[in-house]
Amino acid sequence: MGQQDFSNAVEEVHNEFAFLPGTDVTDSSSKTASAVWTNVDYQALDKKKADFQRELQQKKGVSRRLPRAELDAMITSLNVTDEGGSAFVSVADKESEVVARLLSKDSKFVQDLDAALGSVGGFSDLMAMTGPFDDSETANRSIIQRPREEPLRKTWAVRFTLRCHFDCVRAIVFHPVEAIVLSASEDATVKLWNLQKSLTANSAGATGVGAGNSRKGSQDFDPVYTFHGHSGPVLCMCLSPTGDYCYTGGMDKTVRCWMMPPPNVDPYDPLDRSISSEVLRGHDDAVWSLAFHSSDNRLISASADGTLKLWEPSANPALLATYVAEPDDGSPTSVDFMSSDLHHAVAAYSSGVAYIYDLEQAKTVLRFPPASCTGGFLHFSINVCLMCSEHFLAACSLSPINQIVCHPTLPITVTAHEDRTIRFFDNNSGQMIDCVVAHLDAVTCLSIDPNGLFLLSGSHDGSLRLWNIDSKTCLQETTAHRKKFDESLFSVAFHPSRPIIASAGADGLAKIFM
Amino acid sequence: MSEMADPVPAERILRRNRPGTKAADWCKWPEMKFEEMDSTLSVQQYIQQTVRKDPADIDAILTPPKGQDEAVWKCEHLRQFCMELNGLAVLLLDECDPTVCTQMAATEQWIYLCAAHKSPRECTAIDYIRHTLDGAVSLLNNSKYFPSRISIKENAVAKLASICRRVYRIFSHAYFNHKAVFDQFEANTHLCKRFTNFVVRFNLMQLEHLIIPNFDVGVTSASSHADEGQACQTTDGSLNDTILTGTV
């Protein structure tokens, strides 16, 4: 009886001290020296136990307050646009990727809520609405429901017009973190713009209301760097996920890799040859689309020579694989990597079909739409455009695809078509799940916001439209670019981490909306 | 209603380079009469159409459409010159070594300082070329001087002449120092010949500054005295540039 009681007591003590490092050692020692234990001081053990409980309670208290503090900092910082981005970066650096994504969603959500409540006092309401911070499912549900209840309140307006190209601007891309944007043009140059300097200048000028307003309306500023190297129109561009390299493709058949100069570089510095780090040769015709992998050092290019090429920049040889399209598919026009499966990419063709490719097995996985839909089979859908207040009965036969993008979180791929439609496909079945007549002319470009809630579309009708992806409703429209011959808008972009939108067009201009 | 839903009719000609277009098919659409162009970029469209048709036909390229404002015509042509000149700059990027062409020189009697800086600077030739082209695109797109593509402010016309003088130095440096590259580029574009005819025809440069030999001017100067006066006008201090040695 006594021995058994003692044994139970020892086991209980072991469990209570499980938090200590080197528990195994303690356990081993206990077994070896069990016979030596004679005078056990139970009072001392009870005291230590009480101390531990108190310490544990303190830690729990601290951990509960951490999310609140972070959210509070975010709400405070949202009052100052410039700091908002910094705060987000800071938070993202501290938390795990999942939490960062949640914070990113909350960031959008907080903006809407902040606009509605108009005060920091809204914090308690925010907590009530979102529930426990760590409950991912609840947070997701709240965010998804929010746009359905209240469409995005923010109205985007032109903040800057970037005018420093001689001809059509074919591509516009944001830096992943900084307020930096690059524009690629048919004038054979690529230009780097530092928006932060102008934003700071505006803030400084805001001391005088008149001066501030005047400055905003007529703001003109120059690019901080011009990349010379392409011997012909530059048609496409992308950045590495960390923002330290830029890749451009052009009519001259090359893909060029550029090291990003520092954002405060003097545009009239002596030539720095290290910036042009590499030229990828191999395509036999114009390069029309580029995409960089989110985690591997992989770049995929689509060319009018009928091939897709997979590259590893800086490797020797850089070319990893070539995928040759079926002649019936026409030219590849656009490529994107899938975020849900990092070994898959999507490619769109001028014939109107698209494919999911497995990059490791070098084969097609799925076709959009499935092969059984060929031969004139039509999908019909009734669509409503809020801006036009009209119903369209859209016949969705194959139509050339100008751009293809993968949804960041859902198994959906979106395509922009020459017949004015935007189509949504299921990545598991290849079936078209929706088709929207989106513009009055060909839809040329798409961009999905990093949270996957909104879609930007651009068209040769000159307009830029913002859509709710869930309801397929048009939330805002603006005329962005003038026509040159029958071309107008070529590229749209959401900033990955800041509330900024950009568009680029045939009039040689790029526009920044905030 | 149903008409709205129809795709764009196939009969209509679409002057559009869609993604997937081959280089050989770039801008390969039927010609459009200038009178039928109704865009604010009509002049650029027309100039580019004429250049693509035959870059050697200098007279056709430089002859403005009937009723076209001459100042706008000059400005749009200068934009086109600077844009095409980027092709020469790219060729010179590998050819023009800053340790060899340490200054912007045509012949040894002519050395030029770069005007892109707060005070004129003795840049290497390749830097002079890059800075001059980047400065030209910035000035020609500046909304203070050139806010519109369909009308030119009077105080901006003088800017064209100063850009032309600096642009000509790119041609002359290439001709006297990188003859093979110059000849290759000129054979494809006829750009120097076009530019020389352009500045003479519209009185944007003085004949004594046209130092590249054997580029015959095929058009007699016909501009008014007023234009001539503007062309000779001293440039603003902010865009000052200096010829180090005046001796021929």
mmCIF file with all atom_site columns, all heavy atoms in Angstrom, chain B residues 166-185:
data_model
loop_
_atom_site.group_PDB
_atom_site.id
_atom_site.type_symbol
_atom_site.label_atom_id
_atom_site.label_alt_id
_atom_site.label_comp_id
_atom_site.label_asym_id
_atom_site.label_entity_id
_atom_site.label_seq_id
_atom_site.pdbx_PDB_ins_code
_atom_site.Cartn_x
_atom_site.Cartn_y
_atom_site.Cartn_z
_atom_site.occupancy
_atom_site.B_iso_or_equiv
_atom_site.pdbx_formal_charge
_atom_site.auth_seq_id
_atom_site.auth_comp_id
_atom_site.auth_asym_id
_atom_site.auth_atom_id
_atom_site.pdbx_PDB_model_num
ATOM 1   N N   . ARG B 1 166 ? 21.370 67.498 -79.952 1.00 0.00 ? 166 ARG B N   1
ATOM 2   C CA  . ARG B 1 166 ? 21.995 66.438 -79.159 1.00 0.00 ? 166 ARG B CA  1
ATOM 3   C C   . ARG B 1 166 ? 21.799 65.073 -79.813 1.00 0.00 ? 166 ARG B C   1
ATOM 4   O O   . ARG B 1 166 ? 22.684 64.215 -79.751 1.00 0.00 ? 166 ARG B O   1
ATOM 5   C CB  . ARG B 1 166 ? 21.416 66.456 -77.744 1.00 0.00 ? 166 ARG B CB  1
ATOM 6   C CG  . ARG B 1 166 ? 21.991 67.601 -76.901 1.00 0.00 ? 166 ARG B CG  1
ATOM 7   C CD  . ARG B 1 166 ? 21.597 67.449 -75.461 1.00 0.00 ? 166 ARG B CD  1
ATOM 8   N NE  . ARG B 1 166 ? 20.244 67.927 -75.215 1.00 0.00 ? 166 ARG B NE  1
ATOM 9   C CZ  . ARG B 1 166 ? 19.952 69.193 -74.961 1.00 0.00 ? 166 ARG B CZ  1
ATOM 10  N NH1 . ARG B 1 166 ? 20.907 70.104 -74.925 1.00 0.00 ? 166 ARG B NH1 1
ATOM 11  N NH2 . ARG B 1 166 ? 18.714 69.551 -74.737 1.00 0.00 ? 166 ARG B NH2 1
ATOM 12  N N   . VAL B 1 167 ? 20.652 64.883 -80.428 1.00 0.00 ? 167 VAL B N   1
ATOM 13  C CA  . VAL B 1 167 ? 20.397 63.610 -81.102 1.00 0.00 ? 167 VAL B CA  1
ATOM 14  C C   . VAL B 1 167 ? 21.388 63.409 -82.246 1.00 0.00 ? 167 VAL B C   1
ATOM 15  O O   . VAL B 1 167 ? 21.899 62.306 -82.462 1.00 0.00 ? 167 VAL B O   1
ATOM 16  C CB  . VAL B 1 167 ? 18.941 63.575 -81.616 1.00 0.00 ? 167 VAL B CB  1
ATOM 17  C CG1 . VAL B 1 167 ? 18.763 62.515 -82.680 1.00 0.00 ? 167 VAL B CG1 1
ATOM 18  C CG2 . VAL B 1 167 ? 17.990 63.341 -80.455 1.00 0.00 ? 167 VAL B CG2 1
ATOM 19  N N   . TYR B 1 168 ? 21.684 64.496 -82.969 1.00 0.00 ? 168 TYR B N   1
ATOM 20  C CA  . TYR B 1 168 ? 22.599 64.386 -84.110 1.00 0.00 ? 168 TYR B CA  1
ATOM 21  C C   . TYR B 1 168 ? 23.976 63.904 -83.659 1.00 0.00 ? 168 TYR B C   1
ATOM 22  O O   . TYR B 1 168 ? 24.659 63.182 -84.390 1.00 0.00 ? 168 TYR B O   1
ATOM 23  C CB  . TYR B 1 168 ? 22.728 65.737 -84.822 1.00 0.00 ? 168 TYR B CB  1
ATOM 24  C CG  . TYR B 1 168 ? 23.489 65.640 -86.123 1.00 0.00 ? 168 TYR B CG  1
ATOM 25  C CD1 . TYR B 1 168 ? 22.874 65.127 -87.265 1.00 0.00 ? 168 TYR B CD1 1
ATOM 26  C CD2 . TYR B 1 168 ? 24.828 66.013 -86.203 1.00 0.00 ? 168 TYR B CD2 1
ATOM 27  C CE1 . TYR B 1 168 ? 23.570 65.013 -88.460 1.00 0.00 ? 168 TYR B CE1 1
ATOM 28  C CE2 . TYR B 1 168 ? 25.531 65.903 -87.393 1.00 0.00 ? 168 TYR B CE2 1
ATOM 29  C CZ  . TYR B 1 168 ? 24.894 65.404 -88.517 1.00 0.00 ? 168 TYR B CZ  1
ATOM 30  O OH  . TYR B 1 168 ? 25.584 65.284 -89.690 1.00 0.00 ? 168 TYR B OH  1
ATOM 31  N N   . ARG B 1 169 ? 24.355 64.251 -82.430 1.00 0.00 ? 169 ARG B N   1
ATOM 32  C CA  . ARG B 1 169 ? 25.677 63.838 -81.939 1.00 0.00 ? 169 ARG B CA  1
ATOM 33  C C   . ARG B 1 169 ? 25.772 62.331 -81.758 1.00 0.00 ? 169 ARG B C   1
ATOM 34  O O   . ARG B 1 169 ? 26.856 61.755 -81.840 1.00 0.00 ? 169 ARG B O   1
ATOM 35  C CB  . ARG B 1 169 ? 25.982 64.551 -80.624 1.00 0.00 ? 169 ARG B CB  1
ATOM 36  C CG  . ARG B 1 169 ? 26.152 66.040 -80.831 1.00 0.00 ? 169 ARG B CG  1
ATOM 37  C CD  . ARG B 1 169 ? 26.075 66.813 -79.537 1.00 0.00 ? 169 ARG B CD  1
ATOM 38  N NE  . ARG B 1 169 ? 25.949 68.242 -79.813 1.00 0.00 ? 169 ARG B NE  1
ATOM 39  C CZ  . ARG B 1 169 ? 25.580 69.141 -78.914 1.00 0.00 ? 169 ARG B CZ  1
ATOM 40  N NH1 . ARG B 1 169 ? 25.318 68.754 -77.676 1.00 0.00 ? 169 ARG B NH1 1
ATOM 41  N NH2 . ARG B 1 169 ? 25.482 70.411 -79.231 1.00 0.00 ? 169 ARG B NH2 1
ATOM 42  N N   . ILE B 1 170 ? 24.642 61.707 -81.500 1.00 0.00 ? 170 ILE B N   1
ATOM 43  C CA  . ILE B 1 170 ? 24.643 60.243 -81.387 1.00 0.00 ? 170 ILE B CA  1
ATOM 44  C C   . ILE B 1 170 ? 24.973 59.642 -82.749 1.00 0.00 ? 170 ILE B C   1
ATOM 45  O O   . ILE B 1 170 ? 25.799 58.728 -82.860 1.00 0.00 ? 170 ILE B O   1
ATOM 46  C CB  . ILE B 1 170 ? 23.284 59.738 -80.862 1.00 0.00 ? 170 ILE B CB  1
ATOM 47  C CG1 . ILE B 1 170 ? 23.011 60.323 -79.473 1.00 0.00 ? 170 ILE B CG1 1
ATOM 48  C CG2 . ILE B 1 170 ? 23.246 58.217 -80.833 1.00 0.00 ? 170 ILE B CG2 1
ATOM 49  C CD1 . ILE B 1 170 ? 21.654 59.971 -78.897 1.00 0.00 ? 170 ILE B CD1 1
ATOM 50  N N   . PHE B 1 171 ? 24.343 60.190 -83.785 1.00 0.00 ? 171 PHE B N   1
ATOM 51  C CA  . PHE B 1 171 ? 24.654 59.725 -85.142 1.00 0.00 ? 171 PHE B CA  1
ATOM 52  C C   . PHE B 1 171 ? 26.123 59.957 -85.474 1.00 0.00 ? 171 PHE B C   1
ATOM 53  O O   . PHE B 1 171 ? 26.799 59.065 -85.993 1.00 0.00 ? 171 PHE B O   1
ATOM 54  C CB  . PHE B 1 171 ? 23.787 60.466 -86.170 1.00 0.00 ? 171 PHE B CB  1
ATOM 55  C CG  . PHE B 1 171 ? 22.364 60.013 -86.219 1.00 0.00 ? 171 PHE B CG  1
ATOM 56  C CD1 . PHE B 1 171 ? 21.331 60.880 -85.894 1.00 0.00 ? 171 PHE B CD1 1
ATOM 57  C CD2 . PHE B 1 171 ? 22.038 58.719 -86.612 1.00 0.00 ? 171 PHE B CD2 1
ATOM 58  C CE1 . PHE B 1 171 ? 20.007 60.471 -85.961 1.00 0.00 ? 171 PHE B CE1 1
ATOM 59  C CE2 . PHE B 1 171 ? 20.712 58.302 -86.675 1.00 0.00 ? 171 PHE B CE2 1
ATOM 60  C CZ  . PHE B 1 171 ? 19.699 59.180 -86.347 1.00 0.00 ? 171 PHE B CZ  1
ATOM 61  N N   . SER B 1 172 ? 26.620 61.157 -85.171 1.00 0.00 ? 172 SER B N   1
ATOM 62  C CA  . SER B 1 172 ? 27.984 61.480 -85.597 1.00 0.00 ? 172 SER B CA  1
ATOM 63  C C   . SER B 1 172 ? 29.011 60.679 -84.803 1.00 0.00 ? 172 SER B C   1
ATOM 64  O O   . SER B 1 172 ? 30.020 60.238 -85.354 1.00 0.00 ? 172 SER B O   1
ATOM 65  C CB  . SER B 1 172 ? 28.247 62.987 -85.479 1.00 0.00 ? 172 SER B CB  1
ATOM 66  O OG  . SER B 1 172 ? 27.968 63.451 -84.187 1.00 0.00 ? 172 SER B OG  1
ATOM 67  N N   . HIS B 1 173 ? 28.759 60.444 -83.517 1.00 0.00 ? 173 HIS B N   1
ATOM 68  C CA  . HIS B 1 173 ? 29.688 59.615 -82.752 1.00 0.00 ? 173 HIS B CA  1
ATOM 69  C C   . HIS B 1 173 ? 29.738 58.210 -83.342 1.00 0.00 ? 173 HIS B C   1
ATOM 70  O O   . HIS B 1 173 ? 30.813 57.629 -83.506 1.00 0.00 ? 173 HIS B O   1
ATOM 71  C CB  . HIS B 1 173 ? 29.286 59.535 -81.275 1.00 0.00 ? 173 HIS B CB  1
ATOM 72  C CG  . HIS B 1 173 ? 30.142 58.580 -80.492 1.00 0.00 ? 173 HIS B CG  1
ATOM 73  N ND1 . HIS B 1 173 ? 31.411 58.901 -80.062 1.00 0.00 ? 173 HIS B ND1 1
ATOM 74  C CD2 . HIS B 1 173 ? 29.936 57.293 -80.097 1.00 0.00 ? 173 HIS B CD2 1
ATOM 75  C CE1 . HIS B 1 173 ? 31.936 57.867 -79.426 1.00 0.00 ? 173 HIS B CE1 1
ATOM 76  N NE2 . HIS B 1 173 ? 31.063 56.881 -79.432 1.00 0.00 ? 173 HIS B NE2 1
ATOM 77  N N   . ALA B 1 174 ? 28.566 57.675 -83.656 1.00 0.00 ? 174 ALA B N   1
ATOM 78  C CA  . ALA B 1 174 ? 28.524 56.323 -84.214 1.00 0.00 ? 174 ALA B CA  1
ATOM 79  C C   . ALA B 1 174 ? 29.221 56.284 -85.565 1.00 0.00 ? 174 ALA B C   1
ATOM 80  O O   . ALA B 1 174 ? 29.990 55.368 -85.861 1.00 0.00 ? 174 ALA B O   1
ATOM 81  C CB  . ALA B 1 174 ? 27.081 55.855 -84.334 1.00 0.00 ? 174 ALA B CB  1
ATOM 82  N N   . TYR B 1 175 ? 28.972 57.306 -86.400 1.00 0.00 ? 175 TYR B N   1
ATOM 83  C CA  . TYR B 1 175 ? 29.554 57.312 -87.744 1.00 0.00 ? 175 TYR B CA  1
ATOM 84  C C   . TYR B 1 175 ? 31.077 57.360 -87.693 1.00 0.00 ? 175 TYR B C   1
ATOM 85  O O   . TYR B 1 175 ? 31.754 56.592 -88.378 1.00 0.00 ? 175 TYR B O   1
ATOM 86  C CB  . TYR B 1 175 ? 29.022 58.502 -88.548 1.00 0.00 ? 175 TYR B CB  1
ATOM 87  C CG  . TYR B 1 175 ? 29.585 58.565 -89.947 1.00 0.00 ? 175 TYR B CG  1
ATOM 88  C CD1 . TYR B 1 175 ? 28.975 57.881 -90.991 1.00 0.00 ? 175 TYR B CD1 1
ATOM 89  C CD2 . TYR B 1 175 ? 30.746 59.281 -90.223 1.00 0.00 ? 175 TYR B CD2 1
ATOM 90  C CE1 . TYR B 1 175 ? 29.492 57.915 -92.273 1.00 0.00 ? 175 TYR B CE1 1
ATOM 91  C CE2 . TYR B 1 175 ? 31.277 59.315 -91.498 1.00 0.00 ? 175 TYR B CE2 1
ATOM 92  C CZ  . TYR B 1 175 ? 30.651 58.638 -92.519 1.00 0.00 ? 175 TYR B CZ  1
ATOM 93  O OH  . TYR B 1 175 ? 31.167 58.661 -93.779 1.00 0.00 ? 175 TYR B OH  1
ATOM 94  N N   . PHE B 1 176 ? 31.632 58.251 -86.865 1.00 0.00 ? 176 PHE B N   1
ATOM 95  C CA  . PHE B 1 176 ? 33.086 58.450 -86.863 1.00 0.00 ? 176 PHE B CA  1
ATOM 96  C C   . PHE B 1 176 ? 33.828 57.457 -85.979 1.00 0.00 ? 176 PHE B C   1
ATOM 97  O O   . PHE B 1 176 ? 35.043 57.311 -86.100 1.00 0.00 ? 176 PHE B O   1
ATOM 98  C CB  . PHE B 1 176 ? 33.423 59.881 -86.424 1.00 0.00 ? 176 PHE B CB  1
ATOM 99  C CG  . PHE B 1 176 ? 33.075 60.916 -87.457 1.00 0.00 ? 176 PHE B CG  1
ATOM 100 C CD1 . PHE B 1 176 ? 31.994 61.765 -87.278 1.00 0.00 ? 176 PHE B CD1 1
ATOM 101 C CD2 . PHE B 1 176 ? 33.821 61.026 -88.624 1.00 0.00 ? 176 PHE B CD2 1
ATOM 102 C CE1 . PHE B 1 176 ? 31.666 62.712 -88.229 1.00 0.00 ? 176 PHE B CE1 1
ATOM 103 C CE2 . PHE B 1 176 ? 33.495 61.970 -89.587 1.00 0.00 ? 176 PHE B CE2 1
ATOM 104 C CZ  . PHE B 1 176 ? 32.421 62.814 -89.393 1.00 0.00 ? 176 PHE B CZ  1
ATOM 105 N N   . ASN B 1 177 ? 33.122 56.764 -85.076 1.00 0.00 ? 177 ASN B N   1
ATOM 106 C CA  . ASN B 1 177 ? 33.815 55.875 -84.133 1.00 0.00 ? 177 ASN B CA  1
ATOM 107 C C   . ASN B 1 177 ? 33.366 54.416 -84.219 1.00 0.00 ? 177 ASN B C   1
ATOM 108 O O   . ASN B 1 177 ? 34.085 53.537 -83.772 1.00 0.00 ? 177 ASN B O   1
ATOM 109 C CB  . ASN B 1 177 ? 33.613 56.378 -82.702 1.00 0.00 ? 177 ASN B CB  1
ATOM 110 C CG  . ASN B 1 177 ? 34.212 57.757 -82.481 1.00 0.00 ? 177 ASN B CG  1
ATOM 111 O OD1 . ASN B 1 177 ? 35.388 57.872 -82.142 1.00 0.00 ? 177 ASN B OD1 1
ATOM 112 N ND2 . ASN B 1 177 ? 33.414 58.790 -82.691 1.00 0.00 ? 177 ASN B ND2 1
ATOM 113 N N   . HIS B 1 178 ? 32.182 54.187 -84.736 1.00 0.00 ? 178 HIS B N   1
ATOM 114 C CA  . HIS B 1 178 ? 31.660 52.813 -84.815 1.00 0.00 ? 178 HIS B CA  1
ATOM 115 C C   . HIS B 1 178 ? 31.010 52.619 -86.184 1.00 0.00 ? 178 HIS B C   1
ATOM 116 O O   . HIS B 1 178 ? 29.821 52.322 -86.287 1.00 0.00 ? 178 HIS B O   1
ATOM 117 C CB  . HIS B 1 178 ? 30.649 52.552 -83.686 1.00 0.00 ? 178 HIS B CB  1
ATOM 118 C CG  . HIS B 1 178 ? 31.146 52.917 -82.326 1.00 0.00 ? 178 HIS B CG  1
ATOM 119 N ND1 . HIS B 1 178 ? 32.102 52.183 -81.662 1.00 0.00 ? 178 HIS B ND1 1
ATOM 120 C CD2 . HIS B 1 178 ? 30.847 53.961 -81.517 1.00 0.00 ? 178 HIS B CD2 1
ATOM 121 C CE1 . HIS B 1 178 ? 32.354 52.752 -80.486 1.00 0.00 ? 178 HIS B CE1 1
ATOM 122 N NE2 . HIS B 1 178 ? 31.610 53.836 -80.374 1.00 0.00 ? 178 HIS B NE2 1
ATOM 123 N N   . LYS B 1 179 ? 31.832 52.803 -87.225 1.00 0.00 ? 179 LYS B N   1
ATOM 124 C CA  . LYS B 1 179 ? 31.303 52.856 -88.590 1.00 0.00 ? 179 LYS B CA  1
ATOM 125 C C   . LYS B 1 179 ? 30.522 51.602 -88.967 1.00 0.00 ? 179 LYS B C   1
ATOM 126 O O   . LYS B 1 179 ? 29.468 51.678 -89.595 1.00 0.00 ? 179 LYS B O   1
ATOM 127 C CB  . LYS B 1 179 ? 32.473 53.074 -89.565 1.00 0.00 ? 179 LYS B CB  1
ATOM 128 C CG  . LYS B 1 179 ? 32.055 53.339 -91.000 1.00 0.00 ? 179 LYS B CG  1
ATOM 129 C CD  . LYS B 1 179 ? 31.282 54.646 -91.147 1.00 0.00 ? 179 LYS B CD  1
ATOM 130 C CE  . LYS B 1 179 ? 31.309 55.191 -92.556 1.00 0.00 ? 179 LYS B CE  1
ATOM 131 N NZ  . LYS B 1 179 ? 30.777 54.257 -93.563 1.00 0.00 ? 179 LYS B NZ  1
ATOM 132 N N   . ALA B 1 180 ? 31.030 50.427 -88.603 1.00 0.00 ? 180 ALA B N   1
ATOM 133 C CA  . ALA B 1 180 ? 30.367 49.186 -89.009 1.00 0.00 ? 180 ALA B CA  1
ATOM 134 C C   . ALA B 1 180 ? 28.963 49.101 -88.411 1.00 0.00 ? 180 ALA B C   1
ATOM 135 O O   . ALA B 1 180 ? 28.006 48.724 -89.088 1.00 0.00 ? 180 ALA B O   1
ATOM 136 C CB  . ALA B 1 180 ? 31.204 47.978 -88.590 1.00 0.00 ? 180 ALA B CB  1
ATOM 137 N N   . VAL B 1 181 ? 28.858 49.448 -87.123 1.00 0.00 ? 181 VAL B N   1
ATOM 138 C CA  . VAL B 1 181 ? 27.546 49.422 -86.464 1.00 0.00 ? 181 VAL B CA  1
ATOM 139 C C   . VAL B 1 181 ? 26.623 50.451 -87.101 1.00 0.00 ? 181 VAL B C   1
ATOM 140 O O   . VAL B 1 181 ? 25.452 50.179 -87.377 1.00 0.00 ? 181 VAL B O   1
ATOM 141 C CB  . VAL B 1 181 ? 27.706 49.695 -84.950 1.00 0.00 ? 181 VAL B CB  1
ATOM 142 C CG1 . VAL B 1 181 ? 26.355 49.979 -84.311 1.00 0.00 ? 181 VAL B CG1 1
ATOM 143 C CG2 . VAL B 1 181 ? 28.387 48.520 -84.275 1.00 0.00 ? 181 VAL B CG2 1
ATOM 144 N N   . PHE B 1 182 ? 27.172 51.638 -87.350 1.00 0.00 ? 182 PHE B N   1
ATOM 145 C CA  . PHE B 1 182 ? 26.374 52.691 -87.979 1.00 0.00 ? 182 PHE B CA  1
ATOM 146 C C   . PHE B 1 182 ? 25.844 52.228 -89.329 1.00 0.00 ? 182 PHE B C   1
ATOM 147 O O   . PHE B 1 182 ? 24.656 52.387 -89.632 1.00 0.00 ? 182 PHE B O   1
ATOM 148 C CB  . PHE B 1 182 ? 27.232 53.948 -88.150 1.00 0.00 ? 182 PHE B CB  1
ATOM 149 C CG  . PHE B 1 182 ? 26.528 55.069 -88.867 1.00 0.00 ? 182 PHE B CG  1
ATOM 150 C CD1 . PHE B 1 182 ? 25.824 56.030 -88.164 1.00 0.00 ? 182 PHE B CD1 1
ATOM 151 C CD2 . PHE B 1 182 ? 26.560 55.155 -90.261 1.00 0.00 ? 182 PHE B CD2 1
ATOM 152 C CE1 . PHE B 1 182 ? 25.164 57.059 -88.827 1.00 0.00 ? 182 PHE B CE1 1
ATOM 153 C CE2 . PHE B 1 182 ? 25.901 56.172 -90.929 1.00 0.00 ? 182 PHE B CE2 1
ATOM 154 C CZ  . PHE B 1 182 ? 25.202 57.131 -90.208 1.00 0.00 ? 182 PHE B CZ  1
ATOM 155 N N   . ASP B 1 183 ? 26.715 51.644 -90.144 1.00 0.00 ? 183 ASP B N   1
ATOM 156 C CA  . ASP B 1 183 ? 26.304 51.241 -91.493 1.00 0.00 ? 183 ASP B CA  1
ATOM 157 C C   . ASP B 1 183 ? 25.227 50.165 -91.446 1.00 0.00 ? 183 ASP B C   1
ATOM 158 O O   . ASP B 1 183 ? 24.265 50.190 -92.212 1.00 0.00 ? 183 ASP B O   1
ATOM 159 C CB  . ASP B 1 183 ? 27.513 50.730 -92.282 1.00 0.00 ? 183 ASP B CB  1
ATOM 160 C CG  . ASP B 1 183 ? 28.444 51.866 -92.696 1.00 0.00 ? 183 ASP B CG  1
ATOM 161 O OD1 . ASP B 1 183 ? 28.008 53.037 -92.625 1.00 0.00 ? 183 ASP B OD1 1
ATOM 162 O OD2 . ASP B 1 183 ? 29.596 51.582 -93.067 1.00 0.00 ? 183 ASP B OD2 1
ATOM 163 N N   . GLN B 1 184 ? 25.401 49.218 -90.523 1.00 0.00 ? 184 GLN B N   1
ATOM 164 C CA  . GLN B 1 184 ? 24.406 48.151 -90.377 1.00 0.00 ? 184 GLN B CA  1
ATOM 165 C C   . GLN B 1 184 ? 23.053 48.736 -89.997 1.00 0.00 ? 184 GLN B C   1
ATOM 166 O O   . GLN B 1 184 ? 22.016 48.394 -90.575 1.00 0.00 ? 184 GLN B O   1
ATOM 167 C CB  . GLN B 1 184 ? 24.882 47.164 -89.303 1.00 0.00 ? 184 GLN B CB  1
ATOM 168 C CG  . GLN B 1 184 ? 23.821 46.162 -88.861 1.00 0.00 ? 184 GLN B CG  1
ATOM 169 C CD  . GLN B 1 184 ? 24.152 45.550 -87.505 1.00 0.00 ? 184 GLN B CD  1
ATOM 170 O OE1 . GLN B 1 184 ? 25.298 45.568 -87.077 1.00 0.00 ? 184 GLN B OE1 1
ATOM 171 N NE2 . GLN B 1 184 ? 23.143 45.020 -86.841 1.00 0.00 ? 184 GLN B NE2 1
ATOM 172 N N   . PHE B 1 185 ? 23.065 49.618 -89.019 1.00 0.00 ? 185 PHE B N   1
ATOM 173 C CA  . PHE B 1 185 ? 21.821 50.221 -88.537 1.00 0.00 ? 185 PHE B CA  1
ATOM 174 C C   . PHE B 1 185 ? 21.181 51.086 -89.620 1.00 0.00 ? 185 PHE B C   1
ATOM 175 O O   . PHE B 1 185 ? 19.968 51.036 -89.842 1.00 0.00 ? 185 PHE B O   1
ATOM 176 C CB  . PHE B 1 185 ? 22.119 51.051 -87.281 1.00 0.00 ? 185 PHE B CB  1
ATOM 177 C CG  . PHE B 1 185 ? 20.922 51.733 -86.704 1.00 0.00 ? 185 PHE B CG  1
ATOM 178 C CD1 . PHE B 1 185 ? 19.991 51.022 -85.958 1.00 0.00 ? 185 PHE B CD1 1
ATOM 179 C CD2 . PHE B 1 185 ? 20.713 53.093 -86.904 1.00 0.00 ? 185 PHE B CD2 1
ATOM 180 C CE1 . PHE B 1 185 ? 18.876 51.655 -85.418 1.00 0.00 ? 185 PHE B CE1 1
ATOM 181 C CE2 . PHE B 1 185 ? 19.606 53.727 -86.371 1.00 0.00 ? 185 PHE B CE2 1
ATOM 182 C CZ  . PHE B 1 185 ? 18.690 53.009 -85.630 1.00 0.00 ? 185 PHE B CZ  1
#
